Amino acid sequence: MVHASAYKDPHHVMLFFEEITNATNSQQCLTDRVGYYDELKNNGKVVISGNFWNQDKNFVIVSVSNDDELLHIIENDPAIKQNVLELVKAMPF
C-alpha cells in the first residue's frame, strides 16, 4: 500500500507524451523542448528521454524532490505550453 505522503519525498516519474497537433510552428517548439530537457538533464533532473518507434509519442523519466517540482517541470515544457504535445500518463516509481 502506498501512503498518501509517499510522493512528497524524492522519486522518479516516467512521463508519456503524445502529439496533439501538426502545427507548422511545432518544429521550433520541439527544438526548444529538446533544449529544455537537456538543461534539466544537466541539472540531474532527467534520467532518460526518448521517442517510440513510428509513433508520435515520447517519454521522459525525471527525478523530482516532490510532486510540486514535477508539476513545475511539466507546466514549463515548451510543447505543453504551446499545445503541441499533451501529457497522457505519469507513472511514479
Side-chain angles (χ1 to χ4, degrees):
M1 178 177 193
V2 175
H3 299 305
S5 64
Y7 299 120
K8 292 181 181 177
D9 297 327
H11 60 285
H12 292 86
V13 181
M14 187 168 195
L15 305 172
F16 296 90
F17 297 91
E18 189 170 287
E19 190 172 324
I20 57 175
T21 181
N22 281 330
T24 56
N25 62 348
S26 66
Q27 188 58 45
Q28 181 60 49
C29 174
L30 295 176
T31 299
D32 293 345
R33 184 176 193 263
V34 169
Y36 174 71
Y37 283 107
D38 281 347
E39 183 177 333
L40 288 172
K41 186 174 187 174
N42 291 337
N43 292 326
K45 295 297 172 184
V46 171
V47 177
I48 191 169
S49 61
N51 295 314
F52 295 104
W53 287 87
N54 300 321
Q55 297 181 31
D56 294 330
K57 298 179 182 177
N58 63 55
F59 68 93
V60 178
I61 298 176
V62 294
S63 175
V64 295
S65 299
N66 55 50
D67 285 343
D68 290 335
E69 183 179 24
L70 174 64
L71 186 58
H72 177 78
I73 289 171
I74 295 168
E75 288 177 344
N76 286 287
D77 180 323
I80 295 292
K81 290 170 79 170
Q82 294 184 31
N83 294 316
V84 173
L85 296 177
E86 67 178 337
L87 177 66
V88 292
K89 191 167 193 173
M91 295 174 48
F93 61 96

